[in-house]
Amino acid sequence: MRRSIPLAAIAGVTLALAACSGSGSGSGSTASATASAKPTLSGTLTMWVDETRIDSMKPIVDEFQQQTGVKVDLVQKVSGDIRTDFVSQVPTGQGPDVIIGAHDWTGEFVNNGVVATVQLGDKAKDFSKSAVSAFAYNGQQYGVPYAIENIALVRNNKLLQDTTAKTFDDLVTQAKTANTPFSVLIQQGDKGDAYHLYPLQTSFGAPVFKQKDDGSYTNEIGMSGDAGAKFAAYLQKLGKEKVLDASIDGDKAKQAFLDGKAPYIITGPWNTTAFTKAGMDISVLPIPSAGGQEAKPFVGVQGAFISAKSKNPLLAQEFVVNFLTTEKVQTELYKSGGRLPALTAAASKVDDKVLAGFNAAGSTGAPMPSIPEMGSVWSFWGTTEVQLINGQAADPAGAWTTMITNIQNAIATKK
């Protein structure tokens, strides 16, 4: 049960912030104000996290309570429900003050009016640029990042000790010298997995949506035209060569790599812990280009949103903007959760060579689009790619064009 912040505390906080806002900053930022005159806080916050983060967040909220006196009711939600429950419950006043989740929820949350803006101010420069922009939408900041992740090329050093390939085709050729059942494992499954193929696709100059100069996404599809057609033909080629196999889903790809059945796998840090625990010697490398341009993986960013209907917005701002952004907290979250910190100072002290490899591979990546239109893409995208890999699409360019049309129609029906 969430309790309201006591009136005395509200008055104290308000007076302190009012004094700071007259300092000439002009930003109206509660975050920057608290930096110069920290108010006395008390009360209770409610925060939702899923089962994958609950253990990491428990000591964090305990520490926040010790420092501020503010209790945080940490509520574990099922990962498959937390996002939709937030959208449905916030308008009724039943949702939490803070929710932890992925940046690509931003567009949906903003369109449904369930999240408040946050003001990072000068703190923004302390994060990787992609991590901050990931939570930006229509020129406003809606979330505070704490961790970033992306996929990369992982090598089994027992099978191959060096990687000299400059292109993905060269990589496949080199991988075959290991004489294993598979060359480069890329998980798919019967519904496809466009996420794991995206670095190859971007290397053809075919991003899912076009981006502005500041990195934010437009709602104009960027993977149509000649670039998309060339990528479609390339996918069919990889299918014919048995490099890609739609029957290899995530679990099968992981197990095959663990069993030494391939020298390479394209995957994320969520799998590498299993590899190292199994005693494997691995290296993490950037993914070579297939189409001539940089192979850009999606960069996923984890962070905190504040409810638009929070009954304790000042406490929520203090926790999200001023506490979660500290180097100490970001480092603690890395140690417990294994994800690379979004805060540059914390990330620079990570001496894990595996995570350092993912960080390097993601340095040219692009944030996963957080625009609502992204929800209309995945199904058509994955299904078409499976058809290309399986050879079911006799005309790759035509199949890709049909996919684009289907996506555009799906987007149009939701407007």
Side-chain angles (χ1 to χ4, degrees):
M1 179 69 72
R2 182 174 58 204
R3 300 195 302 270
S4 297
I5 182 173
L7 292 177
I10 292 176
V13 170
T14 304
L15 288 172
L17 295 179
C20 291
S21 66
S23 65
S25 68
S27 66
S29 164
T30 56
S32 58
T34 52
S36 57
K38 205 172 187 65
T40 300
L41 301 173
S42 63
T44 300
L45 284 174
T46 299
M47 185 165 79
W48 284 4
V49 297
D50 66 24
E51 64 275 12
T52 68
R53 311 167 210 269
I54 187 76
D55 290 337
S56 294
M57 281 297 172
K58 284 178 180 175
I60 299 300
V61 298
D62 287 345
E63 187 172 339
F64 182 68
Q65 182 172 355
Q66 291 175 9
Q67 289 188 17
T68 65
V70 174
K71 183 178 184 300
V72 180
D73 282 338
L74 197 58
V75 179
Q76 179 177 331
K77 301 285 289 185
V78 176
S79 57
D81 298 334
I82 185 171
R83 177 179 180 176
T84 52
D85 284 357
F86 185 75
V87 172
S88 64
Q89 292 190 29
V90 165
T92 70
Q94 298 303 308
D97 299 288
V98 175
I99 182 172
I100 303 295
H103 80 273
D104 53 305
W105 301 356
T106 307
E108 180 182 2
F109 284 177
V110 174
N111 274 14
N112 284 281
V114 296
V115 285
T117 58
V118 296
Q119 303 293 332
L120 278 173
D122 290 343
K123 292 179 185 294
K125 67 178 181 355
D126 298 332
F127 292 87
S128 69
K129 186 176 179 180
S130 61
V132 173
S133 63
F135 287 97
Y137 190 79
N138 286 340
Q140 298 286 331
Q141 189 74 21
Y142 287 94
V144 173
Y146 81 81
I148 59 178
E149 59 190 8
N150 55 270
I151 59 175
L153 179 71
V154 180
R155 186 182 69 210
N156 182 340
N157 295 331
K158 182 179 179 181
L159 298 176
L160 289 175
Q161 288 74 48
D162 193 21
T163 299
T164 57
K166 300 298 183 185
T167 69
F168 190 78
D169 284 337
D170 289 344
L171 186 78
V172 171
T173 299
Q174 186 207 14
K176 290 179 178 176
T177 66
N179 295 316
T180 50
F182 304 100
S183 54
V184 184
L185 288 161
I186 306 179
Q187 69 178 63
Q188 288 300 292
D190 57 2
K191 295 181 180 178
D193 190 329
Y195 178 88
H196 281 81
L197 290 174
Y198 196 62
L200 302 186
Q201 180 174 324
T202 52
S203 76
F204 282 85
V208 57
F209 287 103
K210 293 184 178 179
Q211 292 175 269
K212 300 176 184 176
D213 291 340
D214 64 0
S216 61
Y217 285 93
T218 70
N219 60 5
E220 183 179 358
I221 292 176
M223 56 182 173
S224 57
D226 289 345
K230 289 178 180 177
F231 173 64
Y234 188 73
L235 274 190
Q236 189 173 68
K237 167 182 170 294
L238 292 182
K240 286 181 178 178
E241 295 174 351
K242 306 299 182 187
V243 176
L244 291 177
D245 185 343
S247 69
I248 304 298
D249 61 16
D251 289 340
K252 290 179 180 176
K254 176 183 175 182
Q255 191 59 53
F257 192 72
L258 278 166
D259 293 341
K261 294 182 177 179
Y264 293 112
I265 184 173
I266 290 178
T267 191
W270 46 85
N271 273 339
T272 51
T273 300
F275 302 156
T276 53
K277 282 185 176 178
M280 297 180 70
D281 177 20
I282 59 172
S283 294
V284 181
L285 310 164
I287 299 169
S289 171
Q293 300 184 31
E294 281 185 330
K296 299 179 179 180
F298 278 132
V299 175
V301 187
Q302 309 297 317
F305 299 94
I306 297 175
S307 167
K309 299 293 185 182
S310 170
K311 294 181 176 63
N312 302 311
L314 295 177
L315 296 182
Q317 289 278 347
E318 176 65 23
F319 179 77
V320 170
V321 177
N322 290 334
F323 185 71
L324 284 181
T325 57
T326 60
E327 182 178 343
K328 182 175 186 293
V329 169
Q330 297 246 332
T331 300
E332 288 177 2
L333 287 171
Y334 151 67
K335 289 181 177 178
S336 60
R339 292 182 167 104
L340 191 73
L343 191 74
T344 304
S348 66
K349 294 180 179 177
V350 173
D351 59 2
D352 183 314
K353 69 173 186 176
V354 171
L355 278 182
F358 280 110
N359 189 34
S363 63
T364 60
M368 178 92 75
S370 60
I371 56 177
E373 289 83 356
M374 193 66 186
S376 300
V377 169
W378 292 110
S379 177
F380 296 113
W381 199 6
T383 300
T384 302
E385 291 185 341
V386 166
Q387 291 172 345
L388 291 164
I389 293 167
N390 286 344
Q392 297 164 310
D395 174 15
W400 199 259
T401 299
T402 298
M403 177 194 76
I404 298 294
T405 300
N406 289 335
I407 292 172
Q408 289 172 328
N409 289 339
I411 291 173
T413 59
K414 293 184 178 180
K415 288 183 177 179

